[in-house]
Amino acid sequence: MRKRGIDGTGMLNLYDRVTGIFNEIFDQRLLTAALFALIGYCVLFTQRKFPMRWMVFVLFGLILVAFVTLTARVPGKARVRFHRGMAGLWMALHGMMLVSGLFYQDWLPESLPLLVGYPFVFSVFASRDDEATFRSILRAAVLAVLPFLLWSYLTVPVTVGYPGYKGVFYDANCLSMCCIVMTTAALVLAYASFCERKARQTVAYGLCAVLGAVTLLLTLSRSGLLALTGVVVILAIAIIAGTAKHPARLLAVVAVLVALAGVAGVKITKDKIYEAAVEDYALAVHNHEVYGSPITVPKPEDRTLSMDDLTSDRWGIWVAIVNNLTWNGHESSVVKEWVAQDGAGERLFNAHNAFLGVAYNNGAIAGALLVAYTLLALVRAAQYYRIHRKRSPYAATPLAFCAVFILVGMFESVYAPFSVIGCTYLLVQAPLWRADLSRSTAEGIEE
């Protein structure tokens, strides 16, 4: 009987031939260090808002990806079968991104590593033991972000309230993206350590999760708060399905946390709307006094709530994108139609949405394919968790990071090969590419 799926063994064998003797030089014990370097690189350039030319930045990222795969390869032969839907949608999506790059060359640096580089990572990771791989990824994520948080607290005084604490980062949103990655990783590690009865590690990772969550709250990022709430709910379900002895108590705690997150979200939204109204009115008064321009902006107390207020101008950007979609994308990620319509001047904003961002940059077809791939990955992550929840405390890892990617991606453009959220999300995809999700390692591997 023919096995279902696409045979990815050829890609694994090709990787072995290309890397040759280097597989013998690198040690698997270096994997956590290699992943730390990769995710840390992404955090560094999130912190600095990508000052380097995009192509050079991607080149260094690909070098680190090669280092990761070299240290991840398990000696011996393995058979890897890819799920047709995952592999097919991936190739279609990034093939379309490559087509848009033929029209607008700025998109080639993003499309090529995603089309060519990451499938090799998936094939190598799929041939390893999932638990060991997840542990390395999660530890690397915590260790990569932690120094930047400590650096922030040691050098930048903490501020509470609008516009949000940004520490040493370019802005508060950049800091929040790193915080949600670290917090999610630390929560999974704390749960796994608890299941393994490692008290010290449980406490250490728990403190890291608290530090990340508190810092995230200080940033006043609503997308980060939403993602954190989603992750907490998912991990609570994981604990209930796996090891919880008193699920009712856990559900009560989660309900309280969700309620508090809701209150915090409402408070942050109100503060942001009011402060934006104050700034807009102050600018209108200044222009009236200096240039004689009429004051057309209402006073803060008279301002009528709009979708733009609720979404910090994102709604107007999204509407402009939908009204100006093309099949092959646009030359720049700056939504120029919104800038012209809104009179935004220097506010050269991108889509602030991972899915609409791909649709605007690379074309409507690419945007639809990304939505389809993301939904399939979410479904398979849930299936993977259901199958392995009794076997491994790390089984919720793909599901947790799918939630992070989707919930943050609804409000930020995070789908890029080396954005901190995009990279971590992609690294945990490998098991979902297996045709048979019931396996935690590939077929035929020599132990």
Side-chain angles (χ1 to χ4, degrees):
M1 178 178 167
R2 185 178 178 182
K3 294 184 178 180
R4 299 175 64 185
I6 299 172
D7 194 345
T9 307
M11 183 173 289
L12 200 61
N13 293 338
L14 174 62
Y15 177 80
D16 285 344
R17 289 190 178 188
V18 171
T19 56
I21 193 172
F22 291 103
N23 282 325
E24 302 300 326
I25 297 175
F26 286 88
D27 192 320
Q28 290 181 65
R29 289 173 295 182
L30 291 174
L31 179 58
T32 300
L35 286 163
F36 164 75
L38 175 59
I39 300 175
Y41 184 70
C42 298
V43 175
L44 172 65
F45 280 85
T46 299
Q47 182 255 336
R48 297 186 60 81
K49 197 67 174 182
F50 310 111
M52 189 184 293
R53 282 183 59 84
W54 188 236
M55 293 183 70
V56 178
F57 167 68
V58 171
L59 174 62
F60 279 110
L62 280 173
I63 292 172
L64 288 170
V65 164
F67 182 41
V68 166
T69 51
L70 283 168
T71 57
R73 187 69 175 96
V74 178
K77 297 294 182 181
R79 289 190 61 81
V80 178
R81 285 194 171 273
F82 292 149
H83 183 264
R84 290 177 182 174
M86 295 289 285
L89 284 172
W90 180 273
M91 295 305 170
L93 164 59
H94 300 103
M96 190 60 217
M97 291 176 68
L98 180 64
V99 169
S100 72
L102 300 179
F103 291 88
Y104 311 111
Q105 63 180 3
D106 282 353
W107 306 130
L108 289 176
E110 282 193 349
S111 60
L112 286 175
L114 288 166
L115 180 65
V116 180
Y118 272 99
F120 281 100
V121 177
F122 296 151
S123 64
V124 172
F125 276 20
S127 68
R128 302 184 86 253
D129 171 64
D130 291 347
E131 189 165 295
T133 302
F134 288 150
R135 188 184 297 114
S136 291
I137 295 171
L138 296 171
R139 286 177 176 174
V142 171
L143 293 174
V145 177
L146 184 58
F148 287 87
L149 297 192
L150 297 178
W151 179 18
S152 294
Y153 284 117
L154 289 173
T155 60
V156 181
V158 174
T159 57
V160 179
Y162 185 85
Y165 183 65
K166 66 178 183 179
V168 296
F169 284 73
Y170 179 84
D171 61 28
N173 281 337
C174 289
L175 174 56
S176 74
M177 292 179 199
C178 296
C179 286
I180 189 59
V181 168
M182 172 181 162
T183 305
T184 301
L187 285 172
V188 177
L189 285 168
Y191 171 56
S193 298
F194 175 79
C195 293
E196 295 164 356
R197 299 184 178 182
K198 298 178 179 178
R200 292 181 180 178
Q201 291 187 17
T202 302
V203 172
Y205 289 129
L207 290 175
C208 288
V210 170
L211 176 64
V214 169
T215 309
L216 189 151
L217 290 174
L218 290 174
T219 67
L220 303 185
S221 169
R222 288 171 292 173
S223 59
L225 181 62
L226 178 64
L228 178 61
T229 305
V231 167
V232 168
V233 171
I234 284 173
L235 291 180
I237 294 172
I239 295 171
I240 290 171
T243 59
K245 296 180 180 179
H246 304 286
R249 297 178 186 177
L250 184 59
L251 283 174
V253 172
V254 170
V256 171
L257 290 176
V258 170
L260 290 175
V263 171
V266 171
K267 178 68 167 61
I268 291 170
T269 300
K270 287 182 176 179
D271 288 348
K272 287 195 171 187
I273 290 173
Y274 180 76
E275 293 296 338
V278 169
E279 290 177 359
D280 289 347
Y281 186 72
L283 179 60
V285 170
H286 171 78
N287 290 337
H288 174 71
E289 294 175 349
V290 176
Y291 305 108
S293 304
I295 299 178
T296 58
V297 177
K299 293 181 179 180
E301 57 271 19
D302 298 329
R303 186 156 173 164
T304 303
L305 192 65
S306 68
M307 286 300 296
D308 274 335
D309 291 325
L310 286 172
T311 60
S312 300
D313 285 332
R314 285 170 172 80
W315 182 259
I317 296 173
W318 298 340
V319 171
I321 288 174
V322 172
N323 291 335
N324 291 278
L325 287 177
T326 66
W327 76 272
N328 63 341
H330 292 77
E331 183 177 4
S332 170
S333 62
V334 173
V335 185
K336 295 181 178 179
E337 295 86 353
W338 175 78
V339 174
Q341 172 186 320
D342 191 71
E346 295 300 317
R347 295 194 297 166
L348 305 180
F349 289 174
N350 61 31
H352 280 73
N353 181 292
F355 309 100
L356 289 176
V358 170
Y360 184 80
N361 298 345
N362 307 109
I365 299 172
L369 288 168
L370 176 60
V371 171
Y373 176 86
T374 305
L375 290 176
L376 180 58
L378 178 63
V379 170
R380 288 182 64 76
Q383 292 173 339
Y384 180 89
Y385 163 70
R386 178 179 57 80
I387 293 169
H388 296 279
R389 69 184 188 277
K390 300 289 187 181
R391 196 178 309 168
S392 170
Y394 294 95
T397 302
L399 187 57
F401 278 98
C402 280
V404 168
F405 175 74
I406 292 171
L407 294 174
V408 177
M410 289 165 57
F411 302 97
E412 304 291 347
S413 296
V414 294
Y415 190 67
F418 302 108
S419 78
V420 64
I421 289 179
C423 179
T424 312
Y425 166 71
L426 292 173
L427 289 174
V428 301
Q429 292 283 294
L432 309 182
W433 273 56
R434 291 199 193 105
D436 185 359
L437 285 178
S438 64
R439 296 182 177 274
S440 59
T441 56
E443 301 172 60
I445 194 167
E446 297 178 6
E447 301 291 347

